[in-house]
Amino acid sequence: MTSPRRDGDTWDLASSVGATATLAAMTRAIATRDALLADPFAEPLVRAVGIDLLTRLATGDEPPGELVGRAAIDGAAVRTRFYDGFFLDAGLAQVVILASGLDSRAYRLRWPAGTVVYELDRPEVVEFKTRTLAGLGAEPTAERRVVAADLRDDWPTSLRAAGFDPARPTAWSAEGLLGYLPPEAQDRLLDTITELSAPGSRVATESRPTPRPGEEDRTKQSLNRISELFRSANFDPDMAKLRYFGERNEAAPYLVGLGWEVAGRTVRELLAEYGLPPLEQDALRMADVRYVRGTLGVTAG
Ligand SMILES: C[S@@+](CC[C@H](N)C(=O)[O-])C[C@H]1O[C@@H](n2cnc3c(N)ncnc32)[C@H](O)[C@@H]1O
């Protein structure tokens, strides 16, 4: 099979890269049931997407078993708590959540009064979430502005059109996104975030270590094994085909090169910090992923 990824490809929440947003929300629903998180919107959002297996996993009708290992559930808890903490600590009134997927932060965090949260993702994704959460009677906890755009296109124009002001400091997140962008698009994204950032801006993202020789093949094999398990339960995410592999810059040093002061913690460290056990089976080397926060100083940028 040839790669389903190509320039200009599109998706909804049940297909291609969009399904990874539904998978992420499904793990948050399980982590919420396990009291590791409190994301009350994860389960109803997954249910609304309508992929039977993911709905059953999100509601608990299907036990996570082998399909969703402990690493994925604890990993979701760590990741969500890291980004929640990032935004609350940043305390900035202008927030941009890039590739927001089924993230419900604009509806569940206690944002400071006057905060404007821009949520950017493909039109099919942001429109679905807006419609579904409105149908559930959910109210945003900040002023939420939706930006329906593709990060491979001229998204800054769409962001500005929604009211974004580059002269004000911004808290940016790119969560669970970078591997779904071609390497040069990742660099371009970080360049553009920097260009749009006033001094005092903050950014949070993941920084994967450069793979050791042969590691990408092992990652693909692991993703294929996970996809095979899902496939045998009638859902075919074909995860190895959705990511872009090959050489790419590590996000953290790249941000440093752009003038950001960056601090980070590995998943291994964050698990320990949150009192969660170390990852036992970690074929994807998730424990080595670093969640990083950057601050743009007054003289840089
Ligand atoms: C793994 S999901 C993560 C979603 C969300 N950040 C979370 O952590 O739950 C990847 C998200 O990236 C979005 N995405 C990937 N490539 C994109 C692009 N070129 N433009 C806009 N969104 C993109 C997908 O639509 C999807 O919502």
Side-chain angles (χ1 to χ4, degrees), residues 11 17 20-21 24 28 79 99-101 121 149-152 175-177:
W11 52 82
V17 190
T20 66
R28 286 195 292 272
R79 169 163 142 180
S100 50
D121 207 304
D150 195 299
L151 290 163
R152 296 163 296 184
E175 176 187 5
L177 166 67

Side-chain angles (χ1 to χ4, degrees), residues 12-295:
D12 59 18
L13 283 152
S15 57
S16 181
V17 190
T20 66
T22 309
L23 281 161
M26 178 271 289
T27 56
R28 286 195 292 272
I30 297 175
T32 296
R33 244 200 342 277
D34 289 354
L36 298 172
L37 278 187
D39 182 351
F41 302 110
E43 182 197 311
L45 282 166
V46 173
R47 195 198 295 259
V49 173
I51 299 171
D52 183 54
L53 174 64
L54 300 193
T55 297
R56 285 188 284 115
L57 285 163
T59 56
D61 290 342
E62 175 88 26
E66 260 198 295
L67 285 171
V68 194
R70 201 64 250 162
I73 300 166
D74 289 349
V78 158
R79 169 163 142 180
T80 304
R81 286 160 69 162
F82 170 82
Y83 284 96
D84 285 359
F86 162 73
F87 283 121
L88 295 177
D89 292 349
L92 295 175
Q94 181 164 261
V95 167
V96 182
I97 301 178
L98 297 167
S100 50
L102 294 177
D103 169 349
S104 66
R105 286 191 179 92
Y107 293 82
R108 67 175 177 76
L109 289 190
R110 288 183 189 209
W111 299 98
T115 304
V116 180
V117 177
Y118 296 88
E119 287 199 75
L120 187 151
D121 207 304
R122 296 236 357 121
E124 300 83 343
V125 174
V126 284
E127 282 155 18
F128 175 89
K129 184 165 67 179
T130 304
R131 205 170 52 240
T132 304
L133 289 177
L136 290 167
E139 298 272 359
T141 48
E143 185 178 334
R144 174 176 179 262
R145 297 189 190 163
V146 161
V147 184
D150 195 299
L151 290 163
R152 296 163 296 184
D153 299 337
D154 178 16
W155 58 271
T157 296
S158 309
L159 184 61
R160 284 172 194 264
F164 172 84
D165 179 1
R168 300 175 62 199
T170 303
W172 302 88
S173 71
E175 176 187 5
L177 166 67
L178 300 182
Y180 300 109
L181 295 175
E184 63 286 355
Q186 170 179 313
D187 293 349
R188 246 193 345 266
L189 181 81
L190 300 179
D191 295 343
T192 308
I193 289 174
T194 308
E195 283 158 20
L196 293 175
S197 289
S201 292
R202 311 275 178 118
V203 65
T205 193
E206 292 110 52
S207 191
R208 271 180 193 278
T210 297
R212 301 174 187 135
E215 194 171 287
E216 288 207 326
D217 286 339
R218 288 196 294 281
T219 301
K220 283 182 203 165
Q221 284 160 15
S222 296
L223 289 171
N224 283 335
R225 262 198 308 279
I226 298 167
S227 299
E228 186 54 45
L229 284 173
F230 276 111
R231 203 170 298 127
S232 61
N234 287 325
F235 168 56
D236 187 359
D238 213 350
M239 289 192 277
K241 301 252 165 66
L242 301 180
R243 281 215 210 150
Y244 286 90
F245 290 93
E247 234 175 87
R248 69 171 61 218
N249 287 310
E250 280 185 40
Y254 192 82
L255 284 167
V256 171
L258 292 172
W260 296 82
E261 212 171 280
V262 175
R265 299 284 253 276
T266 60
V267 168
R268 183 177 294 104
E269 290 165 337
L270 288 171
L271 285 165
E273 193 174 301
Y274 298 152
L276 291 167
L279 302 183
E280 269 179 14
Q281 286 167 347
D282 188 22
L284 299 177
R285 262 187 88 198
M286 265 171 55
D288 293 327
V289 171
R290 244 183 349 134
Y291 287 101
V292 296
R293 295 176 177 205
T295 305

